[in-house]
Each structure stands twice: as C-alpha cells, then as structure tokens.
Amino acid sequence: MTEITKLKISELIQALKTKKISSFEITKAYLDRIKKYDEKLNSYILLCEEQVLKAAKLSDENYKNNIARNLEGIPLGIKDLFCTKNVKTTACSHILDGFIPPYESTVTDNLWNDGALLLGKLNMDEFAMGSTNLNSYNGKVINPVKKSNSDEELVPGGSSGGSAAALAADFCAASLGSDTGGSVRQPAAFCGVVGIKPTYGRCSRYGMIAYASSLDQAGIFARDVQDAGIVLNSISSYDEKDSTSCKQKSEDFLQDLNKGIKGMKIGLPKEYEMEGMNPDIKKNIEESVKKLEELGAEIIEVSLPHTHYGAPTYYILSTAEASSNLARYDGVRYGLRVSDKGDSLEDLYKNTRASGFGNEVKRRIMLGTYVLSSGYYDAYYRKAQKVRRLIANDFDNVFNKVDAIITPTTPNTAFGNQQKLSNVETYYNDVFTVPVNLAGLPAISIPVGVDSNNLPIGVQFITPKFSEAKMLRIAKSLEDEVGFDRYKLNFRF
Amino acid sequence: MAIFETTKNKYEIVIGLEIHAQINTKSKLFSNSNTKFGAEPNSQVSYVDAAMPGMLPVLNREAIFKAAQTGYAINAKVNSYSIFDRKNYFYADLPQGYQISQFSDPLVEGGTIKIKTSEGDDKVINITRIHVEQDAGKSIHDQSPDSSFVDLNRSGVPLMELVTEPEISSAFEAADFVKKYRNILRYINSCDADMEKGHLRCDANVSLKLLGSKELGTRCEIKNLNSTKNIQLAIDYEVARQAEILDNGGEIRQQTRLFDVVTLETKTMRDKEDAHDYRYFPDPDLLPVNLDEEFLQKAKDSLPILPDAKKAKYIESGISEYDADVIIADKNVTEYFDQIFMKCDIKLAVNWLTSELFGRLKKENIEINNSPVTASNLLGLIKEIEAKNISGKIAKEVLDKMFISGEEASLIIERDGLKQIADDGLILKIIEQIISENQDKVAEYNAGKEKLFGFFVGQAMKLSKGKASPQLVNQLLKEKLKK
C-alpha cells in the first residue's frame, strides 16, 4: 500500500469502508508529517491536534456502526479565511488577534456535517490579498516544490498559499481555499495540484471573511479532479444566510465524470498568449490542446476581446469593496485594539488600523478608498463596472459556440520569494484568472506538465455558470490523458 | 405666504425636511434580532448587527412592504427596482463602518402630503423620495469620565427616510407637516411614530432669501429634532439667526447644526468643509430589490382609509370641518369614533366624544385607547339618551360613574334608579303636589307672571330627583296651569 498521506480521498474512503485503515491512523499520519516537515513550509498556523484525534475516533465508530457519511473521517486543512466555531480565525491579520468566532462558516459546516475532520487552519495572504503568500502576519509560506537544479525558496502562490502548499506536501487529504481573482487556481498551478473555483453563488459566503464580496468564492485544492468533485459536492449549497447564494438545484458534480469529451467544442482564446509568458507554458497549452483533439473534442479559436482590461478592472472593483469590507476592523468590538487611556476615538482607529493591517492590505484599502471618492467614482468604479459587464458578455458570446474555454492558469511558474517584483508585475500574475471572477464563472486548474526547471504548469478550463459537472468531466478527460505524476517533481523534503 | 420681516429686510423662509421614521417590524432590517424598545443595552444584537467577520445582511421583506405601503399612502411611485448602497464612514456605534442605505435608486419617489398654513389654508408639499436604511447604534458618553459605551440594540433597526422638496415656508408648516406625516404612519401602521421613543426624528434644512428673489440662500441643516415643538422652536431660532447675519451684510455658511433644548439655540456641529465623503456604492452583499406586481398590489390594497379620505367622509355625513379635524388628528380617536359613527345620532356622537369624554380624559391625563369608557359603552349611553331613558343632565352624571367604574350605562341607570320618569300619572301627581303647595305662585302666574313657569319646572325636577322627563313636565305643567 502507498504511504497513507499520499492517498486520494476516493482511495481513503474505500480503505475506510473496507476497514483496511482507520480515520485515527490517517489523522495521526498527517499530524506526524506536519509536525516533522511543516516548519520548512509554514503552511499551518494552527493545528487542532487534540480535537481532530477525538473526532477521528468518533468517525471510526461511525464506520463500525455503518452510519458513515460522505466524507467521514477525512482530515482536511482549512484556509484561515473561514470562520471555524471556537477555533481561532484571523485571516492571517494582526488586526484579528485572538479572534475566536462563535459561529461556523456554511462551507465548513457542510464539510463537518458530511463527517470531514478539521486538521488545522492554513496560512494565507492577509485578508486574501496577494498572489505570493508573502503578505501574512503569520509569516511567508514556502512552496514544497523546488526547482530541479536549485534549493531556492519558491512562493506557493497566493492568496491560498498555505492551502496549496499543505496539500502538495501531503499534509491533508484536501484543503479549502478561497478565490477572488485566482487565489485557488494560481497556487494550485504553482504547487502542481488541482484547484477549483466554483460558480459565484454556488457556495455560501456566510462565515467566510470578506475581501471583495462580489468576487469571493470558496474553492478547493485536491489531488485529482475526482477528489475535488467529492469536496465540491459537500461544500455547495443554497444558504438563506447569504443573499448572493444561488437557489440552483444542487446536483452530483461527479455524475458525468467519466463520460469523455467526444464531440465537445473547446475554445482557445487568442488573447491568452501574452508577451513575456514562459515559453514552456505555451508549449504545454499546445500539447493539451492536441490531446483534447485526440480525445475527440473540436478546438475552436475564440476571442475574448476585453480580457486585457481584466486585471485593472479587478484591482479597481476588488479594492473598492475591500476598502468598505475592512472598515469593520476598527478596534471597537473584537480583535486588536491599540489605544492609550485618554485617546480619542480617532486615535483608537488610527493606531489600531496602522498597526493591525499589513502593507498590502493598507495599499488596497487606500486604492479602494480613492476609486470610490467623490469626483473619481465615475472615472474608476463606475467605468470598471461597465468593463466588468463587457468581460462577462465576452464569455457569454463565446459560450454560444463552445462548451468550455482552455487557457494557461498563469503566465509563469512558481518564482523565488526573494525575487523583486513591482506591485503591478505581481498583480499581472492574475491576468488569466481574474476575468473568470469578474464574470462569476466556474473554473478549474489542473497540472499538465513541467517547465525546464521541473516546476509544475497548470491549465485552466472555464465553463458557463453552474456547469461544474461538465467542467469536471472535461478536466478529468485531460487529466487521464496527460497522466501527470506530481511525485516526479522535486520536493524540499 | 409666510414672510419674516426684520427692521431692514423682508425674507421668505425656505425649509426642506428629512424625516427618519422607524419601520415597526418585529425584526431588524438585515438580521432577525428583536427591535423592541427599552431592552437591556446590547441584548438585541446578532452577529450581523455587530458586524462580526464573515457575517452577511439578509433583507427583511416586511420592512420593504411597510415602506411601500407608506409610499402609496402619500401617493408616491413605488419602484419595482431599487438598490441598497453602502454609505461609508467611521463611528464607534456603526459596527460595519458603513450604513446600508439607498442612494441612487430609492424605493419610493414623488408623492404629496397636504398641510395647513398658519393662516389655516390648505397647502400641498411635494415629497422627493423615501428610502430605506438601517439605523446605527447608540454611543453613551456620560457614564464614565474616561470611557464611552456603545449600545447596539438600535444597530440595524429599519428606518425609512422621507425627504421633502424645499417647499415649506414656516416653522408652523414644518411642525404641521410632521404631524400630518406622523398621523399617516400611524393610520397605516408602518411606524409607531412616537417621537419620545425616537421612532421619528427630523432634520430641517433652513435658508432665507430676500422676498421676491429667485435665488435660494445658503442652507443650514438642523439635526435630530425630536418633537414638533422643538422643530418649531429650532426653526424659529435659526430663521432669526440667519436674518440677523444677512441684515448685517454677512454670509451664511453651509453648516450642520444642533438644537440645544436648554438654551433653545442652534449650534454649529460641523462646517461643510468637514463633511464626510461617504463613498456610496452598491452593497455587493445584497441583490437589487426586485418587487413583482403582486407584492406592490398587495401593499396598495392593504392600505386602510387614510386621514384625508376619512375627513371627507365625516364632513359628508354632516360633521363640521373643525370636529372632523379633531377626530382624524389621532388614529386612535378615529378608530374609537368609528365604533359609534353611523350607529347613533351624529351630533350626539361627536358631542359626547369630543367634549364630554375628551374633557374627562384630559382632566385625568388618560389616552383614548386607555379610556375606562369603551366605545361600545359610550354608544350605550347615547342610546339611553336617544331612547329618552335619561336626560342630558343625568347622562353626564352617568358618564362620571362610567368613567370611574367602567360599567355600562344601562347597568348604572338601573342600579341607581336614574331612569327618567316618563309616566304621566306619576308626573301629574308631582305637579298636583306643587300646585297645592304653592297656591300663591299659581295665582301670580295666572295673573300674567309667566316667568314663574321655570320655578314650577324646577320644583318638579327637584321633587323627582331630576328623573322626570323635562318634556313631559313642561307639557303637563302647561296643561294643568291653564285650568
């Protein structure tokens, strides 16, 4: 038998059902591995060791009594953006110091109701702002994958860097992240795992600490497409506590998984080939396209003409919403308060927010405040809303002709965490992923190959709203055809 | 037209009002916390109201329904599409750091409310809009020398803000506007409209312009006026203040001012330059409010008869305009009156309610809905008068007793033997006794001293302890004395 920590969820469930293994053993194996290696990565910021072992024993009882649920006894890591009842949740921000939510986010609640177990909380860019995981109050996360020829520390991507790294390092069976502009798909690509961003409204945002409400969506990191689908089945639900959650009938997203893609039309946007892009990525897309054709799909060149406005539009809208969403962290009711006796209310605000927020968060709050200011609103926020509509229309038009769109997930592979990038360069990391969030569509990133440094490369499939089943079916076909073995990557341990 | 005249100039007063009314729903606008007044501080606060991380607002449709009803009650357009925006500013009692309000696309637009001018004429004030928003909490600064406290019970309570066009021309009209609007709110039960409990708060925008001038003057906004009396006092003060500045060649600075209820002056709160940039934008946590035809029709159909329509109906039935105004001025009075209206003589009904019962209630400082005399009991009393079972005089005595015991008139009349004597024989007996005991007076009467008739009536009433039917006494006395 393979090492326990390398097993897929589908395999773990099979083994648990046939009593070949216990949830306690699985959990213990992950805990041991985390304790042994995570100091090299810093992916977990909190381990729930005692509780999870107790819960694992209960799960084993449930298996014994034949009342096991869909994810019974499967240990998961959760991005610290999700509020977990009685477990400290800070979105890796100093300003939420010591905050212990008295409530559970809906997506994690769904997981626990299906029997999954909380191993611990995962590191992230503060308030999900970033694509490197260098912006965490709990310190940077290091990619478990390294180049074939160098020990240079690489970024895991962000903002769900901890979630991607933990899964890639076999520190959990799957992990939850969140995707506002690519925060699941980009780190999934950088770490060589599968990452899903569901349709906006598919998963409830209740209890998920808000960054940009109209773009935020919970997402999943998993070892393969099927595992990702299993977790997606669990976390998706209509929730009356979230007005933007959709009443769409929930279905089994795995129902068409193995039906192949013969006769399907897949669009290749001509705009997704940009200057300065890693040539290996281009090569991998071409190979993927060839494989899709071999599988019987028809490849159609399509155009998404407003794509290159995606990043600027995203950075106007997301920062505008963030500037307002983060106003509640004021030192009055919970979290950090920096104030001396006799300080005015304004002093309290200034001192608390000045020391509570990191630089990237401050930068985005200021940007967002600016674009909403009187006199600038029309030029920035309103215009960005219009462009957002155009970007969504681009997709609508294309989806009249094709079932799915294929693009690279990122223009480059994981880079060194000492590399000096300007903010704008960093922001352009999201160029292929943000249009999806702006249009509210589902997308998946799967690893398909490596670059010349043996670093993983991801491709992204984008499908129409609420067509996750089709998205998984297409991704699964390519995944099977490629047969990417991520254990051939170079790991730090 | 109301004109403010100083020794130097004549000014027209221009007033626009913004009135915040608390929509009387059981739960808050975006959470299910209770809205009950007077609860322990911070006992009615949900995670949403306290803006805990990851919490999301969910719209209370009942609040929208009641606001829509209010829109229809003032003949306004209720929009089937409206948007909730965020109004961003920092304050300790504003947990989210923004207030969810409606800015670009409000629920209600247009509409009118009819008021009276100080000369007693009717005047129509146009309404700009009504939008729905959440209230903030309350900061408490006087409990400790070095700390402030925050009570979030009010945080998230639903409000509707009505904005008038600047068409109000005097403090009197402003106060009357608030009274008329308050009455409409109570009629349709969308707001309890108790100013003391903060259900209704008013901001007044006041400016002056020289009589005849087309150009509006710079305005000042007086915030948080919490009674019709204070509205009047504050505007009066503000008008005089601005006139004095203008008379002396000064300029009015656009300001937000507060009314001091002790000194009766308005004082600067902040200048326009310090005004917030609220950075309004659509709240991405909430979908646009789409109301279908069925919802809107239901809001329209569920409206009761409104004060103006009531008044017209009363006048048509023969009630004077003055009395009709008295009855419609208070929803509870109207409801009380409607229980006796058309069930007995209208003049008796109006008189026994507005002078007799009101007089007693006022003396004891009791509200009509706590009246010990119920509407059906008052109707019973009037019925006794109509049936000539008691005279008007006895009826007042009966009402006094009803006011104390809350009993029915018939019960009191029966028990205390107050029923009018309408028996010819009995009255004749009394008359005969009077005649025989007062032969000298009878002689004088017969000699032409007709004024003495009243003496005989008085004697008859006295002997009957007031119970004799005055008409019968009159009639029989005349017959007997002629003989």
Side-chain angles (χ1 to χ4, degrees):
Chain A
M1 197 163 162
T2 331
E3 253 177 88
I4 293 177
T5 53
K6 287 185 176 175
L7 292 174
K8 296 170 188 164
I9 292 179
S10 52
E11 294 165 336
L12 286 172
I13 289 176
Q14 203 48 41
L16 282 162
K17 275 184 180 160
T18 52
K19 315 276 192 314
K20 284 188 185 131
I21 198 170
S22 72
S23 171
F24 189 82
E25 285 172 273
I26 299 169
T27 307
K28 195 82 188 31
Y30 282 131
L31 286 171
D32 289 347
R33 190 169 164 81
I34 294 164
K35 282 192 266 184
K36 194 163 166 197
Y37 296 115
D38 195 37
E39 61 180 349
K40 294 186 202 286
L41 304 186
N42 194 30
S43 67
Y44 278 90
I45 59 165
L46 186 122
L47 269 187
C48 305
E49 185 168 3
E50 210 177 304
Q51 300 102 298
V52 75
L53 287 173
K54 223 163 106 185
K57 280 182 188 163
L58 272 175
S59 285
D60 287 330
E61 284 297 306
N62 288 344
Y63 276 106
K64 211 192 273 171
N65 299 325
N66 287 320
I67 49 168
R69 297 157 289 177
N70 289 340
L71 283 170
E72 190 74 61
I74 304 295
L76 305 176
I78 303 295
K79 187 178 185 178
D80 201 36
L81 195 70
F82 296 92
C83 289
T84 39
K85 193 172 178 173
N86 301 330
V87 176
K88 195 166 82 175
T89 304
T90 64
C92 290
S93 179
H94 184 30
I95 208 155
L96 273 169
D97 262 3
F99 177 67
I100 298 176
Y103 45 85
E104 186 77 37
S105 82
T106 299
V107 286
T108 48
D109 203 37
N110 289 342
L111 289 172
W112 316 145
N113 284 333
D114 278 341
L117 312 179
L118 171 63
L119 264 174
K121 301 299 287 285
L122 293 163
N123 206 339
M124 57 185 277
D125 280 308
E126 182 181 2
F127 284 110
M129 296 178 184
S131 41
T132 56
N133 220 128
L134 297 169
N135 309 323
S136 167
Y137 183 67
N138 298 71
K140 61 180 186 242
V141 177
I142 292 153
N143 197 327
V145 177
K146 61 176 189 178
K147 292 179 182 170
S148 53
N149 53 0
S150 147
D151 283 338
E152 182 191 6
E153 287 182 352
L154 303 178
V155 300
S159 65
S160 314
S163 304
L167 179 75
D170 296 328
F171 291 165
C172 54
S175 59
L176 233 47
S178 70
D179 192 317
T180 304
S183 285
V184 166
R185 290 159 288 158
Q186 182 251 20
F190 278 17
C191 295
V193 296
V194 172
I196 287 186
K197 180 241 170 239
T199 309
Y200 182 79
R202 180 66 96 178
C203 303
S204 169
R205 292 185 296 113
Y206 176 86
M208 181 168 92
I209 295 175
Y211 159 24
S213 311
S214 75
L215 302 156
D216 291 345
Q217 187 62 203
I220 300 151
F221 294 90
R223 287 185 168 71
D224 67 358
V225 174
Q226 184 181 5
D227 273 12
I230 292 170
V231 178
L232 183 63
N233 272 341
S234 176
I235 65 171
S236 305
S237 68
Y238 166 67
D239 183 3
E240 57 182 28
K241 296 198 292 270
D242 173 4
S243 310
T244 62
S245 123
C246 289
K247 282 186 178 159
Q248 203 75 17
K249 219 171 76 192
S250 67
E251 51 186 323
D252 178 5
F253 301 119
L254 299 170
Q255 62 193 5
D256 299 326
L257 195 64
N258 296 310
K259 288 190 179 161
I261 54 169
K262 211 172 174 144
M264 277 200 187
K265 292 180 176 141
I266 292 174
L268 181 64
K270 58 181 178 197
E271 289 81 7
Y272 282 63
E273 200 179 301
M274 60 176 249
E275 232 174 280
M277 195 164 107
N278 182 330
D280 293 330
I281 290 179
K282 191 172 177 245
K283 202 178 84 204
N284 263 277
I285 277 285
E286 282 161 3
E287 279 167 15
S288 294
V289 163
K290 207 185 290 166
K291 291 198 169 95
L292 291 170
E293 275 178 319
E294 284 163 18
L295 289 166
E298 184 187 344
I299 303 297
I300 297 172
E301 193 191 66
V302 294
S303 172
L304 296 161
H306 297 94
T307 292
H308 50 288
Y309 297 116
T313 302
Y314 169 81
Y315 279 99
I316 288 170
L317 297 179
S318 64
T319 57
E321 293 181 20
S323 72
S324 177
N325 281 337
L326 271 60
R328 64 186 57 197
Y329 309 109
D330 57 7
V332 174
R333 297 170 311 288
Y334 46 74
L336 182 73
R337 176 187 290 181
V338 182
S339 166
D340 288 324
K341 221 180 169 90
D343 272 2
S344 69
L345 181 62
E346 199 173 315
D347 292 334
L348 182 149
Y349 287 153
K350 284 179 176 167
N351 295 338
T352 303
R353 289 168 68 86
S355 46
F357 289 134
N359 284 339
E360 183 59 28
V361 172
K362 285 179 189 164
R363 185 178 298 121
R364 295 197 193 193
I365 289 174
M366 285 190 276
L367 256 173
T369 304
Y370 177 78
V371 300
L372 287 174
S373 300
S374 107
Y376 299 98
Y377 182 89
D378 286 342
Y380 294 105
Y381 184 82
R382 194 186 299 279
K383 186 158 276 176
Q385 285 289 28
K386 285 182 186 160
V387 178
R388 180 177 192 173
R389 185 95 289 274
L390 293 174
I391 288 171
N393 288 346
D394 280 357
F395 282 109
D396 286 346
N397 291 336
V398 168
F399 286 132
N400 285 330
K401 289 174 272 184
V402 301
D403 295 286
I405 294 166
I406 184 172
T407 79
T409 307
T410 54
N412 41 33
T413 52
F415 46 85
N417 62 15
Q418 302 300 319
Q419 206 168 318
K420 290 274 171 277
L421 290 174
S422 75
N423 289 317
V424 174
E425 280 172 305
T426 311
Y427 290 176
Y428 262 95
N429 249 298
D430 305 336
V431 68
F432 299 138
T433 49
V434 288
V436 172
N437 299 75
L438 290 168
L441 303 169
I444 187 169
S445 173
I446 63 167
V448 291
V450 291
D451 70 0
S452 54
N453 293 316
N454 202 31
L455 290 178
I457 288 170
V459 301
Q460 171 178 240
F461 287 106
I462 309 164
T463 55
K465 282 184 183 176
F466 301 107
S467 63
E468 279 85 347
K470 183 158 80 178
M471 180 178 89
L472 295 183
R473 173 180 174 180
I474 296 166
K476 167 80 168 153
S477 298
L478 183 63
E479 180 184 64
D480 286 349
E481 188 66 18
V482 169
F484 179 79
D485 180 1
R486 67 185 187 92
Y487 292 108
K488 287 187 178 153
L489 296 169
N490 300 91
F491 285 89
R492 307 196 78 80
F493 45 84
Chain B
M1 189 195 295
I3 293 164
F4 187 76
E5 199 171 346
T6 64
T7 49
K8 290 186 179 164
N9 286 307
K10 286 181 178 173
Y11 297 101
E12 273 177 59
I13 304 169
V14 179
I15 302 166
L17 296 179
E18 293 167 19
I19 304 174
H20 292 86
Q22 178 177 338
I23 307 174
N24 59 358
T25 51
K26 277 198 201 74
S27 53
K28 294 184 180 179
L29 186 54
F30 296 113
S31 79
N32 52 15
S33 323
N34 205 309
T35 56
K36 226 174 109 194
F37 180 79
E40 275 289 297
N42 295 313
S43 64
Q44 297 177 166
V45 185
S46 73
Y47 299 140
V48 175
D49 307 327
M52 301 289 270
M55 291 298 101
L56 299 169
V58 177
L59 181 61
N60 177 351
R61 299 275 291 187
E62 194 197 349
I64 296 294
F65 186 79
K66 292 200 162 189
Q69 282 184 308
T70 309
Y72 286 124
I74 60 163
N75 311 306
K77 179 174 173 255
V78 180
N79 292 319
S80 58
Y81 174 89
S82 63
I83 290 178
F84 278 105
D85 295 285
R86 290 184 184 178
K87 178 181 181 179
N88 295 283
Y89 67 96
F90 283 96
Y91 203 63
D93 56 25
L94 188 75
Q96 293 159 323
Y98 53 84
Q99 177 194 28
I100 305 178
S101 180
Q102 296 191 304
F103 182 60
S104 60
D105 296 87
L107 181 68
V108 175
E109 286 176 285
T112 55
I113 289 178
K114 202 159 79 182
I115 63 163
K116 283 255 190 276
T117 67
S118 51
E119 290 85 32
D121 299 326
D122 284 337
K123 179 175 174 180
V124 170
I125 303 296
N126 286 294
I127 309 303
T128 314
R129 60 193 269 162
I130 297 177
H131 61 258
V132 180
E133 61 187 21
Q134 56 176 182
D135 205 350
K138 196 167 82 180
S139 293
I140 302 159
H141 302 295
D142 55 3
Q143 306 269 309
S144 149
D146 57 6
S147 307
S148 289
F149 296 88
V150 174
D151 176 7
L152 294 180
N153 281 354
R154 287 193 67 86
S155 166
V157 160
L159 303 177
M160 47 189 165
E161 180 178 345
L162 173 142
V163 181
T164 75
E165 292 292 306
E167 296 175 347
I168 295 167
S169 324
S170 69
F172 178 90
E173 289 178 21
D176 195 57
F177 182 92
V178 174
K179 285 179 199 161
K180 290 283 164 24
Y181 181 47
R182 183 174 61 189
N183 202 28
I184 291 170
L185 296 174
R186 286 184 178 155
Y187 261 69
I188 63 174
N189 190 31
S190 62
C191 169
D192 297 338
D194 191 338
M195 292 190 95
E196 274 166 27
K197 290 183 182 165
H199 296 150
L200 214 58
R201 301 193 297 260
C202 181
D203 305 337
N205 286 290
V206 180
S207 67
L208 296 184
K209 61 175 184 178
L210 281 173
L211 185 61
S213 162
K214 287 213 166 91
E215 215 170 305
L216 282 173
T218 304
R219 66 171 197 272
C220 287
E221 182 182 17
I222 316 167
K223 279 258 175 223
N224 267 332
L225 299 166
N226 60 1
S227 75
T228 52
K229 194 177 136 207
N230 286 345
I231 290 169
Q232 222 160 334
L233 289 169
I235 293 174
D236 280 339
Y237 175 87
E238 182 61 19
V239 166
R241 184 189 75 87
Q242 292 188 14
E244 194 187 333
I245 294 172
L246 294 172
D247 278 354
N248 295 326
E251 258 182 44
I252 306 294
R253 283 162 61 194
Q254 190 172 335
Q255 286 177 328
T256 302
R257 300 179 68 83
L258 281 177
F259 180 62
D260 186 324
V261 291
V262 178
T263 63
L264 306 183
E265 293 170 348
T266 66
K267 289 172 180 168
T268 307
M269 185 177 152
R270 60 170 177 261
D271 274 301
K272 193 202 171 193
E273 301 84 72
D274 306 326
H276 295 289
D277 179 358
Y278 289 121
R279 292 175 283 121
Y280 283 99
F281 76 107
D283 190 331
D285 285 333
L286 291 160
L287 302 173
V289 184
N290 282 302
L291 304 175
D292 58 27
E293 202 42 54
E294 194 189 344
F295 182 95
L296 295 173
Q297 196 61 46
K298 210 175 139 197
K300 212 184 281 181
D301 292 346
S302 61
L303 285 184
I305 300 180
L306 294 164
D308 283 345
K310 262 278 168 228
K311 182 177 163 182
K313 200 174 145 200
Y314 290 155
I315 290 172
E316 204 178 288
S317 322
I319 297 174
S320 73
E321 187 179 354
Y322 177 84
D323 285 334
D325 272 332
V326 169
I327 296 168
I328 63 147
D330 182 337
K331 184 198 175 198
N332 293 325
V333 172
T334 317
E335 280 176 357
Y336 190 101
F337 181 71
D338 277 345
Q339 292 178 62
I340 57 177
F341 179 56
M342 302 304 277
K343 289 177 183 155
C344 62
D345 180 78
I346 284 177
K347 286 220 166 69
L348 283 176
V350 171
N351 183 46
W352 281 90
L353 175 67
T354 62
S355 40
E356 295 303 330
L357 183 62
F358 275 16
R360 285 164 177 80
L361 290 171
K362 204 171 173 191
K363 208 169 137 200
E364 299 298 324
N365 201 16
I366 298 173
E367 295 281 325
I368 184 93
N369 32 338
N370 297 323
S371 168
V373 179
T374 64
S376 70
N377 282 356
L378 187 68
L379 180 64
L381 178 70
I382 295 168
K383 289 282 186 203
E384 297 287 348
I385 301 168
E386 284 184 332
K388 299 199 167 55
N389 288 337
I390 47 169
S391 65
K393 196 166 165 243
I394 293 287
K396 287 180 189 178
E397 201 181 300
V398 175
L399 184 61
D400 284 336
K401 291 181 176 177
M402 292 167 74
F403 202 83
I404 292 163
S405 69
E407 291 167 316
E408 287 176 32
S410 59
L411 196 95
I412 293 169
I413 294 165
E414 184 73 21
R415 189 186 58 215
D416 297 355
L418 296 173
K419 192 164 177 186
Q420 191 158 262
I421 298 167
D423 179 328
D424 288 19
L426 272 176
I427 294 176
L428 265 178
K429 240 187 193 167
I430 291 167
I431 289 173
E432 274 159 12
Q433 192 189 334
I434 294 166
I435 290 174
S436 74
E437 280 172 8
N438 298 283
Q439 283 299 329
D440 48 340
K441 294 249 172 32
V442 174
E444 276 178 56
Y445 178 83
N446 286 337
K449 204 171 175 184
E450 286 185 6
K451 269 201 280 184
L452 276 169
F453 189 76
F455 166 78
F456 296 116
V457 174
Q459 287 297 305
M461 297 310 284
K462 199 174 160 190
L463 272 176
S464 72
K465 295 194 178 92
K467 290 188 290 184
S469 156
Q471 288 97 326
L472 266 181
V473 168
N474 269 306
Q475 187 197 329
L476 292 173
L477 250 180
K478 269 182 191 153
E479 285 169 16
K480 271 287 166 194
L481 287 170
K482 263 184 217 156
K483 283 171 190 171

